[in-house]
Amino acid sequence: DVLAIITLSDMTSFSAIIGAWWRPLPELELAIAGRVVPAALSFDGKFTLSNVPGQTQFTPQQLEVPGSAARLDLTIPPTAKIGARYRGLDGGREVFDVELDLVYEAWSLLERYDVELDGTISLFVGAEAPDTLIEKRWQDTFSVRLGGTWNLIGQAPTDGDPMPVGVGDLQLSLGGYWESAAVPHNYEHLDFLSFQRVGLGIGLAGRVGPLRLKA
């Protein structure tokens, strides 16, 4: 047994994401966005063989792979997102906001990794490198995201009314999300751990003069 390392890259690809938002009321904003053109990636590279530390001791000549080449096609799928944001206003300034987003991602496009390998494996007296097929069978995912920001000190300005330099503010943000699993049972791998997940996040932002810090 030896360790095989496949190195691939694709420096260019094309995709398209469009979106729009509408404010029917001063307190309410609605938005929609999505990747309408999937990003098709065509990876090219090569693969190398090396000894398994502490287990094998093949010579460099035995580990050579003349004509080494590798290829993999992968598609980043289309997505769709809708969201609504409520703004708590007081005297024309924003005191807090709450936002709800729903996200759909068409990961069922990823059925398998079909890695095409070329080259001669010297370990087996000139055997041709076999192609590698890894079943993925991913599923479409859905997620719900909810969060908001409270302006503890000072109040965030509304559009067209920037806060003067020197006015300090302190903002506290809190949010969470739930996302369904893309990886079905019995097809788990270590490359992408896209299981069903729940997450929470908290953030703090402050402004002193012209500086704004976030954590």
Side-chain angles (χ1 to χ4, degrees), residues 139-183:
Q139 306 166 140
D140 294 347
T141 63
F142 302 87
S143 66
V144 180
R145 307 170 185 181
L146 177 65
T149 298
W150 179 25
N151 296 287
L152 299 170
I153 302 175
Q155 297 177 342
T158 56
D159 294 341
D161 183 21
M163 189 173 281
V165 174
V167 175
D169 70 321
L170 182 63
Q171 297 177 323
L172 175 65
S173 298
L174 180 66
Y177 70 91
W178 168 84
E179 182 177 302
S180 65
V183 178

Side-chain angles (χ1 to χ4, degrees), residues 59-153:
T59 66
Q61 291 74 22
Q62 290 176 308
L63 295 173
E64 287 183 357
V65 185
S68 171
R71 293 173 298 278
L72 171 65
D73 292 332
L74 186 65
T75 300
I76 305 300
T79 63
K81 304 177 183 181
I82 59 174
R85 177 173 178 255
Y86 176 79
R87 307 191 305 156
L89 301 178
D90 180 17
R93 292 186 177 273
E94 186 177 304
V95 180
F96 70 91
D97 77 330
V98 178
E99 182 173 333
L100 174 66
D101 300 314
L102 305 177
V103 181
Y104 166 77
E105 298 175 280
W107 282 111
S108 59
L109 288 177
L110 181 56
E111 296 182 357
R112 64 186 61 86
Y113 287 166
D114 190 357
V115 185
E116 300 179 6
L117 299 178
D118 294 327
T120 302
I121 299 179
S122 303
L123 289 172
F124 307 118
V125 193
E128 289 295 321
D131 294 339
T132 300
L133 181 64
I134 303 175
E135 291 289 340
K136 305 298 287 186
R137 303 192 184 185
W138 276 26
Q139 306 166 140
D140 294 347
T141 63
F142 302 87
S143 66
V144 180
R145 307 170 185 181
L146 177 65
T149 298
W150 179 25
N151 296 287
L152 299 170
I153 302 175

